[in-house]
Amino acid sequence: MTGRTDPAGPVVYKFGGSSVGDAARIGHVADLVAAADPPPVVVVSAVAGVTDRLSALVRRRGAGHDVSDDLRAVALRHRALAEALLADAPPVLQRVAAEIEGVVDDLLDETRAPTPGSAEDGDRLRALGEDLSTRLLAGALEARRHPVRRVDARDVIPTDARFGAAEPREGDLARAARQRILPALAAGEVVVVQGFVGRAPDGRTTTLGRGGSDWTASLLGAALEAREVHIWTDVDGILSGDPRAVTAPRGLDRIGYEEAVELAYFGAKVLHPGAAKHAVSRGLAVRIRSTFAPHRPGTLILRERWEPAGVAAVAFKPGVVLIQVRSHPSAMPYGFLARVFEVLTRHKLPVDLVATSHTSTAFTLDGGADLERAAGELRVFADVTVRPDLATVSVVGHGLLDEPGIVGRVFGVVGSTPVHLVSQASDVSLSFVVGEPHAPGLVERLHAELVEARPVGSEVAP
Ligand code: ADP
Ligand code: ASP
Ligand code: MG
């Protein structure tokens, strides 16, 4: 215990689900956190697989099933983790086991309320993963006799009431976070907070959307004027290619903010797009690190651009839908795009890629989005085609508009694969849309052509 905070601001750590995937890993995270000096703020995701399981449970409940047994199974899994983790500290184990039981019992009581299937019901249930994982980590620190304070995210992440995709209210957030977290840090305590979870103005639990713990870390980092935010995950920083497609991607020492945001938007799950954008706008220093190789520096996301320019990474995003909208021949040519985007804005549908011609526009959206009503409104003034099961493939770097021959090299690799849309809105990325099954192979070949062909180290600034 140090009993002091760093004058340059605290460090915020965020551990993803795979970093707390089993008892040994939670113990390892507790060791890592206990070794940090001064004590960090620690944002924790749900244990690996738990949010998926809770989401399935939410769907079952929406379909009218009783989910009490499923909730008890989630409690049992956490109890087993606590037993393995805290075997040497029986009093801590007893307390954590009672906490797990208490949290799940409260939830079982609440689920008797007649709101199954509502978005708010879903958030209350999905928050359970982080409500429990934070108790395990705090228990592990306590068992190591390390001073720790659990702060409920509901008290420091005020949001609006858009359940499932809540927007933080940052003014209130900064006040609450400083008030509740800084005194604990000053007293030498590690502060453990749930990622992903927040609270609506009327007190109900909200969540920030899947992968939202990164956003929690960035929000707290900005509120506390953190020196750095470290996103600890299961890979060695940001890689030059998505490991689902590329066998041996390179770890990037550093990457510019714009490229990091672009990669996050175009499928590199390692960083939540909202978090990347938030961190950029607040000028936060963010480092992506491997929980399993903590001696390595990982990737630093730089505030400024750096030279030399070139391709940094290749990404892909499956599960994308392409909407093609063609104006009726009798329609006036002006105002068409504005009408299309007015409908999308009203339905809060975020567009990824766009291409337009005189009479048509085509754009991509995440497949999970509810498109039916918006498509119906577009059909009032245009012909609409919806193509599911596509993927975006993106080459990300900077100076790409000035990179000689880049387009030729990319489409040389694409060859005869059918492409449904091409988009290059800036010099940071070049993206196109293909059938989902084609994407991993193309990413692998683009990585070989654009990254592996480049000498190692040429991406590092002098
Ligand atoms: P966490 O549980 O730590 O939040 P995620 O699963 O959300 O972890 O994100 C980490 C994963 O992101 C990695 O395991 C990797 O498969 C995936 N990923 C995709 N593209 C990239 C990339 N370019 N660099 C690093 N990881 C990537
Ligand atoms: N547990 C949440 C999810 O799986 C939030 C996160 O992991 O960032 O989406
Ligand atoms: Mg994640």
Side-chain angles (χ1 to χ4, degrees):
M1 176 167 75
T2 60
R4 64 180 172 84
T5 42
D6 193 318
V11 175
V12 176
Y13 282 180
K14 176 261 170 175
F15 291 93
S18 51
S19 298
V20 291
D22 58 34
R25 289 179 175 198
I26 300 170
H28 171 67
V29 166
D31 290 337
L32 248 167
V33 168
D37 181 23
V41 178
V42 183
V43 174
V44 193
S45 292
V47 168
V50 169
T51 312
D52 286 343
R53 181 154 187 191
L54 292 169
S55 297
L57 183 156
V58 168
R59 285 193 295 275
R60 271 174 55 71
R61 185 166 147 76
H65 297 283
D66 177 5
V67 296
S68 312
D69 287 347
D70 310 61
L71 279 173
R72 286 194 192 95
V74 172
L76 276 181
R77 175 162 177 211
H78 287 82
R79 170 152 191 136
L81 286 169
E83 282 169 3
L85 184 66
L86 305 170
D88 297 336
V92 182
L93 170 58
Q94 217 172 17
R95 221 210 42 251
V96 171
E99 283 176 9
I100 293 171
E101 205 170 307
V103 170
V104 175
D105 280 351
D106 286 352
L107 201 50
L108 281 166
D109 280 347
E110 283 179 37
T111 55
R112 291 188 232 296
T115 55
S118 68
E120 69 171 277
D121 187 57
D123 273 4
R124 184 69 193 92
L125 287 160
R126 267 187 290 264
L128 177 64
E130 277 73 6
D131 283 345
L132 296 181
S133 65
T134 38
R135 284 175 162 86
L136 293 173
L137 181 63
L141 283 159
E142 206 181 323
R144 283 159 177 72
R145 300 185 187 291
H146 199 84
V148 52
R149 173 135 13 142
R150 220 169 18 80
V151 168
D152 193 331
R154 295 170 185 81
D155 294 332
V156 288
I157 309 286
T159 69
D160 64 10
R162 280 182 60 196
F163 297 97
E167 289 283 337
R169 293 184 288 119
E170 279 202 74
D172 296 341
L173 189 154
R175 262 189 305 281
R178 284 202 285 266
Q179 201 174 42
R180 294 196 183 244
I181 294 176
L182 292 178
L185 293 178
E189 296 171 320
V190 164
V191 173
V192 175
V193 188
Q194 308 97 308
F196 179 56
V197 175
R199 173 148 53 199
D202 65 0
R204 289 176 294 173
T205 299
T206 54
T207 67
L208 304 178
R210 293 304 305 268
S213 298
D214 296 342
W215 198 5
T216 307
S218 184
L219 287 164
L220 292 181
L224 303 172
E225 296 175 359
R227 186 157 47 90
E228 285 194 359
V229 174
H230 293 192
I231 306 285
W232 295 86
T233 184
D234 59 347
V235 288
D236 200 4
I238 296 187
L239 307 171
S240 60
D242 190 319
R244 287 174 299 179
V246 180
T247 325
R250 292 178 188 169
L252 304 177
D253 296 351
R254 50 189 117 181
I255 188 166
Y257 263 140
E258 285 175 280
E259 292 102 301
V261 171
E262 212 78 347
L263 273 175
Y265 270 96
F266 290 129
K269 203 181 152 206
V270 65
L271 194 58
H272 181 275
K277 212 167 145 190
H278 179 265
V280 173
S281 65
R282 300 300 182 275
L284 275 173
V286 178
R287 195 178 275 285
I288 317 279
R289 305 180 67 178
S290 166
T291 308
F292 311 115
H295 52 284
R296 299 210 195 115
T299 305
L300 179 64
I301 302 181
L302 297 175
R303 288 161 203 241
E304 293 98 30
R305 284 198 157 188
W306 49 278
E307 300 299 333
V311 174
V314 188
F316 77 103
K317 183 154 91 173
V320 163
V321 175
L322 178 74
I323 316 261
Q324 289 162 316
V325 186
R326 180 194 292 264
S327 66
H328 292 150
S330 57
M332 300 304 268
Y334 53 83
F336 172 65
L337 277 181
R339 277 183 93 178
V340 171
F341 281 93
E342 187 276 318
V343 171
L344 299 175
T345 308
R346 206 155 18 80
H347 288 271
K348 296 197 162 69
L349 290 171
V351 168
D352 275 342
L353 300 178
V354 191
T356 65
S357 70
H358 183 62
T359 53
S360 304
T361 181
F363 50 87
T364 61
L365 297 163
D366 268 352
D370 184 6
L371 308 174
E372 274 319 302
R373 290 227 305 277
E377 287 183 31
L378 292 172
R379 284 195 176 99
V380 172
F381 61 91
D383 296 324
V384 179
T385 314
V386 179
R387 287 171 179 260
D389 303 325
L390 301 174
T392 56
V393 173
S394 303
V395 171
V396 175
H398 76 90
L400 296 187
L401 286 170
D402 299 324
E403 179 97 350
I406 181 92
V407 175
R409 286 171 78 194
V410 168
F411 287 99
V413 170
V414 172
S416 58
T417 307
V419 171
H420 302 285
L421 180 151
V422 179
S423 164
Q424 184 172 21
S426 72
D427 75 345
V428 179
S429 66
L430 166 61
S431 297
F432 57 90
V433 178
V434 293
E436 203 176 70
H438 295 295
L442 281 174
V443 170
E444 191 182 16
R445 296 206 300 281
L446 284 167
H447 186 265
E449 166 70 23
L450 302 170
V451 179
E452 284 163 36
R454 196 180 58 205
V456 176
S458 65
E459 74 277 15
V460 175

